[in-house]
Amino acid sequence: MSSSAPIGIFDSGYGGLTILNGIRSLLPSYDYVYLGDNARAPYGTRSFDIVYQFTLQAVRRLFDLGCPLVILGCNTASAKALRTIQQHDLPTLAPDRRVLGIIRPTAEAVGSITQSRHIGILATEGTVRSGSYELEIQKLYPDAVVTAQACPMWVSLVENAEYDSPGADYFVNDSLSRLLARDARIDTLVLGCTHFPLLLDKIRRYVPDHVRILSQGSYVASSLADYLQRHPDMQARLSQGGTCTYYTTESADRFRESASIFLGTPVDATHISLS
Ligand code: DGL
């Protein structure tokens, strides 16, 4: 990989593939490395410290694989680990490399979409507890009313390829009813967990038609394109062979099978361990 300088995309599991898809559609010429920590997913119920440690291990590995730029394609990791990695670790670990998250670009997008100024966030317990979405959105749009709802079980449904099962209806409806009961004026729903776009068909079924549902992929992609334009030095360092390589901490066979369903195309994967 010596001449390759790919963009690294990390998630606890398969969810980041929705971010990878969005980014590759807009910026197909770059090389990419995807790393899913499937063996240790879900992250959403884990403590700050553990999510930080696991995320740092993944970032280090992506640096070892030659990535000058890493995107945390995971809201939980963006909420719980990004700032510490950027401020504490990067200056000594790799001062010339960059790690970006996905909460800020999503927060930027939502303000121009909502009409009622009432925004709902669907996310993991960890992201909700961090208060990151409320903080980022209200910094940019102080008039916004943000209500965040934890959706226990949704990540497990996706990781276990149960997102289309009848059981999924119960859990999807349950979390959505709770959120809409807390604020009936919500007109914009953010899927603040990268796994949730896989449940989109079911989510639509349980929200009123006028409610906009935002998946993050395209917003993160536009934000990255903008970042690269503003940082030509970083852009020049990235290799552009149009390749994508997949790594997982789970069995490569299992990843191959599930990721191919998520991506709609067969992919190859390699098993790695993180420590
Ligand atoms: N996909 C991750 C996110 O965006 C979380 C999934 C997990 O709980 O591991 O928050």
Side-chain angles (χ1 to χ4, degrees):
M1 263 229 181
S2 55
S3 64
S4 169
I7 296 173
I9 298 188
F10 165 69
D11 182 45
S12 60
Y14 298 112
L17 295 173
T18 62
I19 298 295
L20 176 72
N21 263 347
I23 292 178
R24 285 194 85 198
S25 312
L26 189 68
L27 302 166
S29 63
Y30 293 98
D31 292 309
Y32 294 91
V33 172
Y34 184 86
L35 170 54
D37 191 7
N38 302 77
R40 302 189 294 193
Y43 278 16
T45 46
R46 293 187 185 273
S47 68
F48 265 79
D49 196 45
I50 293 291
V51 172
Y52 160 65
Q53 283 176 32
F54 286 0
T55 305
L56 182 59
Q57 289 168 3
V59 166
R60 279 176 184 275
R61 178 55 67 96
L62 286 165
F63 285 168
D64 289 347
L65 290 164
C67 302
L69 176 64
V70 170
I71 315 284
L72 302 184
C74 173
N75 292 272
T76 310
S78 297
K80 292 183 162 189
L82 177 67
R83 186 166 304 174
T84 314
I85 291 176
Q86 284 176 332
Q87 295 178 356
H88 179 262
D89 299 294
L90 267 189
T92 46
L93 185 65
D96 60 333
R97 305 200 190 197
R98 291 291 170 268
V99 180
L100 305 175
I102 57 173
I103 292 181
R104 173 80 186 197
T106 312
E108 280 168 5
V110 80
S112 54
I113 294 166
T114 175
Q115 302 274 311
S116 69
R117 315 308 287 163
H118 287 246
I119 297 157
I121 309 294
L122 299 162
T124 64
E125 195 185 314
T127 301
V128 171
R129 279 230 214 101
S130 74
S132 301
Y133 268 101
E134 289 90 327
L135 213 79
E136 290 294 343
I137 293 175
Q138 273 155 359
K139 229 190 284 171
L140 297 164
Y141 311 104
D143 63 328
V145 178
V146 184
T147 309
Q149 178 70 42
C151 306
M153 296 304 298
W154 289 22
V155 170
S156 300
L157 289 170
V158 173
E159 283 293 309
N160 293 298
E162 288 288 333
Y163 46 87
D164 212 16
S165 70
D169 281 279
Y170 171 82
F171 292 108
V172 168
N173 186 18
D174 184 59
S175 299
L176 286 170
S177 321
R178 285 172 199 268
L179 175 63
L180 296 173
R182 289 168 64 202
D183 184 356
R185 295 189 60 202
I186 288 170
D187 73 347
T188 306
L189 266 185
V190 174
L191 303 187
C193 169
T194 54
H195 283 65
F196 294 176
L198 272 300
L199 291 160
L200 189 57
D201 288 347
K202 292 220 186 286
I203 296 169
R204 273 198 204 290
R205 205 175 290 169
Y206 298 106
V207 295
D209 288 345
H210 73 277
V211 174
R212 287 274 306 266
I213 302 171
L214 303 195
S215 297
Q216 298 175 282
S218 60
Y219 301 105
V220 173
S222 310
S223 171
L224 176 60
D226 181 57
Y227 174 88
L228 293 175
Q229 221 159 27
R230 288 183 290 109
H231 296 86
D233 49 329
M234 174 58 78
Q235 184 175 32
R237 286 166 66 193
L238 297 169
S239 57
Q240 301 202 37
T243 65
C244 190
T245 313
Y246 297 87
Y247 292 93
T248 176
T249 55
E250 244 288 354
S251 110
D253 283 342
R254 185 158 181 225
F255 185 92
R256 244 176 250 132
E257 207 173 291
S258 297
S260 303
I261 301 171
F262 289 22
L263 294 166
T265 169
V267 297
D268 210 354
T270 306
H271 167 84
I272 52 165
S273 303
L274 292 177
S275 59

